[in-house]
Amino acid sequence: MSHVLDNGRNASPWGTYRRLLSYAAPYRWLLVAAAIGALLEAAAGGGFLLLMKPITDETFIARNRDVALWLPLAIVGLFVLRGVAGYMTDISMGRAARSIARDFRVQVMDKYLHLPGARFDTEPVASMLVRLGSDSDQVAQAAVDAMKVMVQQSLQIVASLAVMLWYSWTVTVTILLVAPPLAWVMDRVAKRYRRISHRIQESNAQLMLAADQALSSQQDVKIYGAQASEMARYRGLADNNLRLAMKVESTRGISSAAVQLLGAVGLAVLLLIAGHEALQGRLSAGEFVSLMTSMMAIIPALKQLTNVQNMLQRGVASAQRLFSVLDSPDESNSGTLRVERARGLIEFRQVTARYPGQGSPALADVTFTATPGTVTAIIGRSGSGKSSLIKLIPRFYDPESGQILLDGHPLQDYVLADLRRQIAMVGQQVTLFDGTIADNVAYGEMSQASAEQVDQAVASANASEFVEQLPLGLQAEVGARGGRLSGGQRQRLAIARAMLKDAPILILDEATAALDNESERLVQDALQRLMPDRTTLVIAHRLSTIEHADQVLVMDHGRIVERGTHAELLALGGLYAHLHAMQFREKHSA
Ligand SMILES: Nc1ncnc2c1ncn2[C@@H]1O[C@H](COP(=O)(O)OP(=O)(O)OP(=O)(O)O)[C@@H](O)[C@H]1O
Ligand SMILES: [Mg+2]
C-alpha cells in the first residue's frame, strides 16, 4: 500500500492519527458517554430488526390478536430509546470535536506568535489563517466525527449481523462471502480520494491567498486598472478549483454507486439462497423479512464507513500540516541573562545578515557602537539595509555572522522578553490593533499604565490635538488596523506608545515621515527630551533630524560606507554630501 501523503513528510498517517487521538484524551468521558449512547442505539436498532419476524409471522400469517397492541407499542418504544441514545451520542461527540478544534486553534495561534520573523517571509498570513480555520475543523472531524461514525455504524452492522445469524446462518455466511469485493472497491475509492482531496485543499489555500492579495490592495488594483489581470489570475485558480472539486464529486458519486450495486448483487444472492432454504422449510416468511431488513440496514452503514476513510484522510492531511507548524522551532530563546533595565550600550561587530533564500546579504560587515545618551542616525538610499539593521536589535532576525552586544553581552545571552523590554520601536509600517486609542497606546505589557501616563504620552507625541477632536477621545475605536485614522495620526499613536514604554533603547524607522513639518518639529522636541538618558537609533530622510545626531552612519548596499558627524561627512564630499546636496536642492526648488 502506498501512502501518498507520506511524500515529503516524516510522520506516517497512522502515527499522525495516534498523535491526533492524544488530543481527544482530555475528553474521554464525553467519548465514553457517546459510546454508551451508540451501544444503546445499536441495541434498539437490532431489537427492531428482531421484531420484523413476529410482525410478519404473527400479525399477517397467524393473525394473532395478542400481538396487535404490544408490537406497535414496542416499535414506538424502541425508537424513543434510539432517539434519546442518538442524541446523547451526537451531543457528547460534538462537544468533544469542537473542543479539540478549539484546542488546536489556540495552540497553533500561540505557536505562530512565537515563530521566528523569517517564517513570516516564507509563509503568507493567509495560509496561516487556513491552518487556524478549516484545518483545525477538519482535524476535529477526523479525531471525533469519524470515530463516531465508525462506532455507530460498526455497532449497527454487528447488531444486524447478530439478528441475521440468529435467524439463518446459511444465508448470513453467503452474505459474508459477498462482502470482500465490497471492501476492495471501498479501498480503491479511498485511495483515489485521498490523492484528490489533498490537492483540493492546496487549491483552496491558493484561492484565498489570491483573493486576500487583490482585496487588501484594492486601491492599487483600481488605480492601476488591474481588475482584469487580477480576475484572470483568480478565475484561473477558481477554474482549477472547480476541476478538482468535480473530480472529488465524481469519485464520491462513483463510490456510492459502486457500493449500492454491490448491495443489490448481495440482495440477489440472498434471495437465491433464501428461496432454497424456504423450500427446505428452514426459513419462515417473517425470518426472511427480518434478514432482508437487516441487510438493508447494513448497506447504508457500510456506505457511511467508506466515507469515514475520506474523513480520516482529510483530517490526517490537515493534522500533518498543523503538526508541522507545532513542531517547527520557536524563535531561539536560550539566553538566561536577566536584565531589569539595561544601560543601552549597543555594539555591532562585523555583522552580516541575509534573508532566507537570498543571494547577496542584506547587511555586510557592519560595525558600530551606539552609546547611551547619544543619537545615531542611519541614512542611505532605499533598500540599502537600514531597516534590516535595526530589526536585528530586538532579534526579529538573527545575523549570519558577527556579533551584536548589549551592555557587553551578546544579544542571544539575554532572555528574549527581557531584551525586548529594553527597546521602544516605531517601525516603518505602523500597525495598530482593532481597539480604542487608549488600548493601542497602553499596549501589551503596558496595559496597566495609568490614565495620566497615557495622556502624557499622547500629548508628547503631539497627538492630543486630534484625539481631543474625536467624540470619544481616548476611548475612540481606531478600526481594523487603525483604518479610521490618517497615516500621520497612526504614526503619532505609535510614537506615543514608544514614549509610554520609556525604554533605554529607542529605535525610530522613518517614524515621523508622514508628519507635516510643524507636527514633526513638535514630536522631535518631545523625542529630544526623551533622548538624553537613552540610546537612540533613528532612520530618517530629513536633514533636521540628522544634523543633531552624534554620529551618522551612511549605508549603501548593506555596508556602512561613511560615518561621522553631519559636518565631517559634508566635508568628506562623498555619498552623504551627495544625498545632502540633492535634498538641499529639492527644498529650495519646491
Ligand atoms: N523580509 C525580507 N525578505 C527578503 N528580503 C528582504 C526582506 N526585507 C528586506 N529585504 C531586502 O533587503 C534589502 C534591504 O532592505 P531594507 O528594508 O533594510 O532597506 P531600507 O534601507 O530600510 O530601505 P527603505 O529606505 O526603502 O526602507 C533590500 O534589498 C530588500 O529587498
Ligand atoms: Mg526601511
Side-chain angles (χ1 to χ4, degrees), residues 61 72 138 176 215 302 314 347 386 398 402 468 472 530:
I61 296 175
Q138 287 193 344
L176 289 183
L215 295 178
L302 275 179
R314 258 179 315 181
E347 291 168 78
K386 306 181 294 293
D398 280 331
E468 275 158 16
L472 292 175
L530 274 181

Side-chain angles (χ1 to χ4, degrees), residues 23 37 73 78 88 119 134 152 217 254 350 362 378-379 395 417 426 429 442 457 480-481 531:
Y23 279 78
L73 279 180
L78 279 174
M88 184 166 136
R119 175 69 176 252
S134 61
Q152 250 177 349
S217 49
I254 289 171
Q350 290 159 355
I378 305 169
I379 70 151
R395 290 191 62 205
V426 183
Q429 272 138 20
R481 296 179 206 205
M531 285 169 188

Side-chain angles (χ1 to χ4, degrees), residues 381-388 390-391 428 509-510 539 541:
R381 299 193 179 98
S382 176
S384 56
K386 306 181 294 293
S387 300
S388 307
I390 54 144
K391 280 190 244 171
Q428 202 164 11
D509 189 351
E510 312 263 0
I539 299 175
H541 286 311

Side-chain angles (χ1 to χ4, degrees), residues 112 114-123 128 330-331 355-356 395-398 420:
Y112 276 138
H114 289 95
L115 285 177
R119 175 69 176 252
F120 289 82
D121 299 329
T122 49
E123 185 179 354
M128 295 184 172
D330 275 351
E331 295 185 285
Y355 288 104
R395 290 191 62 205
F396 292 149
Y397 296 86
D398 280 331
R420 289 178 177 166

